[in-house]
Amino acid sequence: MNIKQSLNGTVLTLEVEGRLDTATAPQLEEVVKKETLTARDMILNLSKVEYISSSGLRAVLIAHKLMTSVGGQLIVKSPSDFCKQVFAATGMDSALSIQE
């Protein structure tokens, strides 16, 4: 998994590519936890995520909770078709702010 990150003011954009699973989710969690010290809003681009497991879902939920705890928000941008299916099946699509 690769994570490209850019900070524009207090808005952090993370572009995730590859598989978001048990082996890679901790990497995303680490980036999210570190960057919430400076970012107040986060855009999580999942357009290039080919697979997301329950561990990946947990990492996304952690990002959502951390952003909310600092008064910000998490926006999931352009989730891949696989991510959309998983979000719908788990009900996360109604809990997250998703932009196509």
Side-chain angles (χ1 to χ4, degrees):
M1 176 183 73
N2 292 318
I3 302 173
K4 294 178 186 173
Q5 53 187 74
S6 63
L7 185 64
N8 184 2
T10 61
V11 179
L12 175 67
T13 300
L14 298 177
E15 185 176 332
V16 182
E17 182 177 355
R19 295 175 59 90
L20 189 50
D21 56 22
T22 304
T24 59
Q27 179 185 352
L28 178 59
E29 288 179 33
E30 183 178 319
V31 170
V32 166
K33 288 175 183 175
K34 177 183 164 198
E35 296 300 333
T36 53
L37 300 174
T38 54
R40 291 296 167 253
D41 295 301
M42 183 180 296
I43 298 170
L44 188 58
N45 186 323
L46 301 179
S47 62
K48 296 179 181 176
V49 172
E50 56 201 40
Y51 176 80
I52 187 167
S53 71
S54 59
S55 296
L57 290 174
R58 179 178 176 275
V60 172
L61 280 176
I62 287 172
H64 173 70
K65 288 180 181 181
L66 286 172
M67 289 292 101
T68 303
S69 73
V70 296
Q73 69 172 342
L74 171 72
I75 297 170
V76 177
K77 184 176 178 186
S78 305
S80 66
D81 288 339
F82 188 86
C83 287
K84 286 182 205 175
Q85 291 172 357
V86 172
F87 290 156
T90 59
M92 283 183 59
D93 57 346
S94 61
L96 297 173
S97 177
I98 299 176
Q99 292 182 353
E100 292 298 324

